[in-house]
Amino acid sequence: MNRLILVTVILSAAVFASPSMSTPESRPLVSGGIYDKPFITNVRGGVRIGGYVDAQFRYEREEGVLDEATFGLERINLFTYTPVSDRVRVAAELEFEEGGEEIKIELAIIDFEIHHALTFRGGIILSPLGRFNLAHDSPANELTDRPLVSTQIIPATLSEPGMGFYGAFYPSSGSRVTYEAYATNGFHAGIIEDSPDGTRFTAGKGNWEDNNARPSFVSRIGVSPMPMAEFGISIHTGPYNEFEVEGLEVDAKRNATLFALDTEIDWRYFRLTGEYARGDIDVPVESAVFQENQQGFYAELSGKFAAGLFSALPGSYFSGVGRFDFVDFDSDTDGDSHRRLTVGINFRPAGDTVFKLDWQRNWSRDAFNIEGNSAAVLFSTASYF
Amino acid sequence: MLLRTLLLSTCLLVLTTACDTLLTETPPAGDDFESPFDDLPPALNAAFLAGDANFERPFSVNDGLGPLFNNVSCAGCHPGDGRGSPEQALFRFSRSATDLALDLGGPQLQDKAIPGIMPEEIPAGVNVSLRLPPPVFGVGLIEAIPEESILANEDPADNDGDGISGRANWVGAAEFVPVTEIGGGPGLQLGRFGRKANVSSLVGQIVGAYHQDMGITSDFRPEEDLNLSGGGSSIGDDVPDPEIPASTVMETVVYVRLLAPPKPGPSTDNVERGRDRFMNSLKCASCHVPMMKTGPNDISALDEVDVHLYSDLLLHDMGPELADNREDGSASGTEWKTAPLWGTRIIEAFLNGQSFFLHDGRATSIHEAIVLHGGEAEASRNAYLALSDEERSTVIDFVKNR
């Protein structure tokens, strides 16, 4: 089934890829994505190296009691990108978290461009599941903390070993349709077995060698009727548990599916982003402690002001931002949910560096629908280099 | 000058209050079930916090949950450290007080299992008892009440002729319970915990909770509980046993021991009239003994203090309607431990707006709970039923104010 969808996508891509229909454009596939980062250093032979650093101070209170007051280097990422030949590019991104205790290959890909509507990609790919998973660098984010739905329902950063294709079509001048479609290893049974909180997609990541010998399928289609707006729809689906070993059935085959909608609209000084995601998980009945449906969304609005206020910093500007987050880990019951309101003010001395000051208020409800209150003041700075 | 100081202090005040509203406020003291006693020494506060984390901690399959279990955490059954709802209630089954049907997976039904394992079902030919999780605060006080004080209220032959007897449940303590623990040691021990006072020590209760309720083995009970009736599924989980050390269990024991009962609400005329009926005309206080005193204790919060628990901690025959017809220790199938009446004021806050009473949670209001009293409490119940609606409401107000 998955393979069928994949083949269909590839074939249709090939058909639509007739040169007369398209007008190649310089827009990146994903704004803020791997080929749209400010690679500041261009080493010899076209090898580009860059990265970003994200440093924070967090002051958090729970039910009026001081919970956390800490400095931290949230992450440091290094990326590199090399156009090996006219049609081949290699890119990689390494992420260091927890003071270097956690090092992750976030991305390691080889792209072979057959046509702008059909590029082959293989390696550890960034799964095209919602826009945030594809573009989430701290210096580009307006708020210190990432959206809840994009980290806890869609387990950003979700990168998996896989292969597939992507491309872009230009139905009219100014409009664009992009697609990405890959077969990947998918999630493993950690979704239900590793997290003490029950079903969590975050716990099913890291399936470096496919646990069940059956690929999952992930795809996103982005529709941009005009350059200032893009709407995305994406899906990630496939079996996550080990159900057949050496030809013997050892368990029922269980699927996990994530579905996401995303949007990004830039209008004058304003920028609106949002994402909705829903997870459906087949769970073993005998356990009765796992959640079958989860969902959430976020909506964020930001606006620039006071650009060039300081004559010494002509490229500087401020922005104000507000975001509402909601995630429900169990759509079938009251409770087990988390709401968050964040407002913040940012100063960017230049586009690639940002200072963020956020206030965050959280209302969480546990599985018994008992409300917990927490709040935080966050100060962070992030910069590309 | 004065103006400036005034302005400045107003500004500061506004700022700090704004800060509090913006950064969440502490709920009024005593409005929860999960607070420690006031003024504990720092070392006990630290132990309390470690135990708190254990109590909240859910176990995942890869942490050792199961193979058979009822829930994934202590808090999962005792939400907010209060009582559970009928969804979290569990079944005990056995053939008799001495035959716990171990061969059939007794004495507890684990109706959940990790993937690949069959959960248990209630076998035929056994006696079954459904138990609602009781609150866990105040158990340190219950433990610290001297045995003699509890036994002093016994009247097994009803010598005073009030129709109310009351007797202790004498139970064996598991061998793993240290003799230094109250309720530990060889021979029969006074039961204090559980709906039928069927457990004598906190260590016994909590080791059992880890083992039976969550499938977590510890140094005290290092072997998994397997599904014996489930044919090929009598295998354990993949995590080596014991899954938690004795120190973790002891932290959890110290935690519940140090949980303070919430304070009663402010008194009103109605509450006082209700108290009077409860104490005198209705004879509720014959079983729901308003106050007992703890003995000497190393922890000052537990040392010779008054415990307003409204229970004698003894067993009473509550009649056929409440009977589970299952013996437990020396408790008969009609006897239940007098449920302490404390924390009733805020039950709903931790049960999603609902409330559940009695050993299996069948009553959803205080009125219903009283009406279901039978056996030794029949005269008391009838006296309550003979009251006018308005008079009854004072009794309910009193109980609800605990």
Side-chain angles (χ1 to χ4, degrees):
Chain A
M1 174 64 187
N2 292 346
R3 263 162 294 186
L4 199 72
I5 300 172
L6 194 67
V7 168
T8 320
V9 170
I10 296 166
L11 282 181
S12 44
V15 170
F16 286 122
S18 56
S20 59
M21 271 188 68
S22 47
T23 44
E25 214 187 295
S26 60
R27 273 173 80 186
L29 184 77
V30 178
S31 67
I34 181 67
Y35 295 130
D36 187 34
K37 295 181 194 277
F39 292 90
I40 291 164
T41 322
N42 190 345
V43 200
R44 285 184 334 137
V47 178
R48 285 143 213 238
I49 294 180
Y52 68 87
V53 178
D54 177 351
Q56 309 188 348
F57 173 72
R58 309 181 68 90
Y59 175 89
E60 298 177 41
R61 288 207 335 187
E62 210 178 309
E63 308 292 351
V65 177
L66 178 65
D67 189 42
E68 190 111 61
T70 181
F71 296 98
L73 186 80
E74 187 66 12
R75 55 179 65 86
I76 168 165
N77 282 37
L78 294 177
F79 34 75
T80 163
Y81 146 46
T82 309
V84 176
S85 66
D86 269 2
R87 289 181 175 272
V88 176
R89 288 184 295 264
V90 173
E93 179 164 351
L94 280 179
E95 181 170 88
F96 301 79
E97 287 181 335
E98 311 280 341
E101 270 170 38
E102 216 173 272
I103 303 173
K104 200 183 134 193
I105 300 176
E106 187 163 316
L107 180 90
I109 46 169
I110 299 172
D111 281 1
F112 171 48
E113 184 176 337
I114 300 157
H115 180 269
H116 62 76
L118 187 70
T119 299
F120 167 86
R121 171 173 288 182
I124 293 179
I125 60 148
L126 210 47
S127 307
L129 185 58
R131 217 195 75 86
F132 189 85
N133 198 53
L134 296 168
H136 50 247
D137 294 352
S138 308
N141 294 342
E142 297 292 344
L143 291 173
T144 304
D145 282 352
R146 297 173 164 190
L148 293 175
V149 62
S150 315
T151 46
Q152 310 209 357
I153 304 291
I154 297 174
T157 310
L158 177 63
S159 38
E160 319 167 67
M163 290 182 182
F165 295 88
Y166 69 85
F169 307 95
Y170 304 90
S172 64
S173 87
S175 73
R176 187 181 74 166
V177 175
T178 58
Y179 74 90
E180 293 189 61
Y182 309 100
T184 67
N185 285 355
F187 295 104
H188 59 65
I191 288 189
I192 58 165
E193 292 182 358
D194 284 0
S195 170
D197 298 317
T199 308
R200 289 295 183 274
F201 281 98
T202 42
K205 294 198 290 184
N207 201 3
W208 303 120
E209 201 173 307
D210 203 332
N211 61 331
N212 52 24
R214 303 291 192 287
S216 289
F217 170 74
V218 55
S219 176
R220 175 174 180 272
I221 292 173
V223 177
S224 173
M226 57 196 88
M228 58 171 263
E230 186 177 84
F231 305 95
I233 175 167
S234 40
I235 189 165
H236 186 298
T237 185
Y240 67 89
N241 67 327
E242 210 177 6
F243 52 91
E244 198 183 272
V245 180
E246 297 182 14
L248 294 175
E249 184 182 343
V250 294
D251 200 351
K253 176 173 158 185
R254 288 193 281 273
N255 283 314
T257 302
L258 273 164
F259 166 80
L261 297 172
D262 61 74
T263 178
E264 179 191 14
I265 299 169
D266 285 290
W267 181 71
R268 300 176 138 213
Y269 300 109
F270 299 100
R271 185 178 144 85
L272 176 75
T273 55
E275 203 155 287
Y276 164 82
R278 178 188 165 88
D280 290 280
I281 313 99
D282 296 338
V283 301
V285 278
E286 63 271 20
S287 305
V289 289
F290 303 119
Q291 295 81 22
E292 292 187 69
N293 296 301
Q294 310 184 317
Q295 57 183 339
F297 73 91
Y298 86 88
E300 179 181 301
L301 180 68
S302 61
K304 290 181 194 176
F305 63 93
L309 185 68
F310 310 107
S311 50
L313 295 168
S316 73
Y317 62 90
F318 287 83
S319 52
V321 52
R323 184 172 78 205
F324 184 75
D325 277 291
F326 173 76
V327 285
D328 185 351
F329 294 110
D330 191 353
S331 314
D332 299 329
T333 63
D334 296 345
D336 216 355
S337 64
H338 189 166
R339 281 178 299 147
R340 171 184 286 172
L341 177 71
T342 321
V343 289
I345 184 158
N346 298 342
F347 173 63
R348 289 179 190 265
D352 293 338
T353 303
V354 60
F355 293 90
K356 310 175 195 174
L357 179 66
D358 309 336
W359 167 76
Q360 191 183 84
R361 179 74 168 80
N362 295 283
W363 299 266
S364 55
R365 291 187 163 272
D366 67 11
F368 318 104
N369 212 13
I370 302 175
E371 189 173 274
N373 293 286
S374 64
V377 174
L378 312 174
F379 178 72
S380 69
T381 173
S383 182
Y384 282 111
F385 59 84
Chain B
M1 183 63 196
L2 182 75
L3 203 74
R4 273 235 325 256
T5 325
L6 250 166
L7 218 81
L8 213 80
S9 35
T10 330
C11 272
L12 264 173
L13 197 80
V14 169
L15 246 155
T16 39
T17 36
C19 197
D20 263 359
T21 15
L22 286 179
L23 287 172
T24 71
E25 285 167 86
T26 321
D31 273 3
D32 61 53
F33 302 137
E34 50 186 8
S35 299
F37 291 107
D38 292 336
D39 305 321
L40 292 175
L44 283 184
N45 277 336
F48 178 87
L49 291 172
D52 189 6
N54 295 344
F55 194 88
E56 299 279 330
R57 176 186 174 186
F59 286 87
S60 70
V61 175
N62 286 341
D63 288 338
L65 179 70
L68 299 173
F69 63 97
N70 294 99
N71 211 320
V72 298
S73 69
C74 307
C77 281
H78 301 282
D81 293 16
R83 66 192 58 206
S85 74
E87 266 168 59
Q88 291 129 12
L90 54 84
F91 286 101
R92 294 266 169 69
F93 63 87
S94 51
R95 295 196 187 88
S96 71
T98 46
D99 180 353
L100 299 183
L102 297 176
D103 55 324
L104 300 175
Q108 185 163 318
L109 172 78
Q110 281 94 11
D111 58 355
K112 300 189 180 72
I114 60 173
I117 304 287
M118 288 299 293
E120 291 180 328
E121 282 170 29
I122 296 180
V126 292
N127 301 320
V128 181
S129 180
L130 178 60
R131 309 270 174 108
L132 187 81
V136 295
F137 59 81
V139 292
L141 294 165
I142 292 177
E143 183 190 40
I145 297 169
E147 196 167 303
E148 313 82 75
S149 314
I150 296 172
L151 299 181
N153 287 321
E154 270 194 307
D155 183 15
D158 192 16
N159 290 331
D160 61 4
D162 64 353
I164 294 174
S165 50
R167 56 189 198 100
N169 193 356
W170 293 100
V171 295
E175 263 173 49
F176 59 73
V177 180
V179 283
T180 46
E181 287 288 315
I182 294 171
L188 289 178
Q189 300 287 336
L190 174 67
R192 296 169 193 258
F193 306 106
R195 297 286 182 180
K196 286 194 191 244
N198 41 299
V199 177
S200 63
S201 69
L202 280 179
V203 173
Q205 181 74 47
I206 288 165
V207 169
Y210 274 117
H211 190 258
Q212 297 281 304
D213 302 356
M214 305 193 283
I216 298 298
T217 54
S218 62
D219 286 333
F220 295 108
R221 284 190 84 172
E223 276 151 39
E224 292 281 17
D225 198 17
L226 304 175
N227 186 347
L228 302 177
S229 59
S233 73
S234 52
I235 46 174
D237 55 40
D238 290 342
V239 180
D241 300 311
E243 287 153 348
I244 53 170
S247 57
T248 302
V249 176
M250 291 315 290
E251 283 165 0
T252 312
V253 169
V254 170
Y255 169 70
V256 295
R257 183 174 280 152
L258 296 177
L259 282 170
K263 305 208 169 21
S267 191
T268 63
D269 284 354
N270 243 13
V271 166
E272 286 315 311
R273 278 197 289 275
R275 179 198 303 275
D276 184 53
R277 296 199 167 93
F278 185 93
M279 303 294 284
N280 302 311
S281 55
L282 300 183
K283 297 209 164 61
C284 309
S286 309
C287 303
H288 294 284
V289 171
M291 199 267 281
M292 294 219 248
K293 222 176 156 70
T294 62
N297 199 293
D298 291 342
I299 299 169
S300 65
L302 301 175
D303 182 29
E304 304 196 38
V305 292
D306 295 348
V307 189
H308 301 276
L309 78 172
Y310 291 88
S311 169
D312 56 4
L313 301 174
L314 294 174
L315 298 173
H316 296 276
D317 182 335
M318 294 298 282
E321 208 174 330
L322 283 184
D324 64 353
N325 302 313
R326 174 178 175 268
E327 296 169 354
D328 202 339
S330 58
S332 76
T334 55
E335 284 177 316
W336 296 102
K337 179 181 83 181
T338 308
L341 301 178
W342 52 9
T344 38
R345 190 168 57 84
I346 48 173
I347 286 179
E348 279 111 341
F350 302 95
L351 280 179
N352 202 8
Q354 300 161 286
S355 46
F356 302 100
F357 298 96
L358 303 176
H359 63 273
D360 54 4
R362 72 175 77 173
T364 54
S365 70
I366 291 169
H367 170 75
E368 257 178 75
I370 303 172
V371 172
L372 283 164
H373 279 48
E376 293 173 38
E378 200 168 330
S380 204
R381 178 211 41 203
N382 291 343
Y384 168 81
L385 287 176
L387 299 177
S388 71
D389 281 355
E390 197 255 309
E391 290 165 332
R392 281 184 207 165
S393 76
T394 63
V395 180
I396 292 171
D397 282 358
F398 168 69
V399 175
K400 220 186 172 132
N401 197 43
R402 296 300 86 216

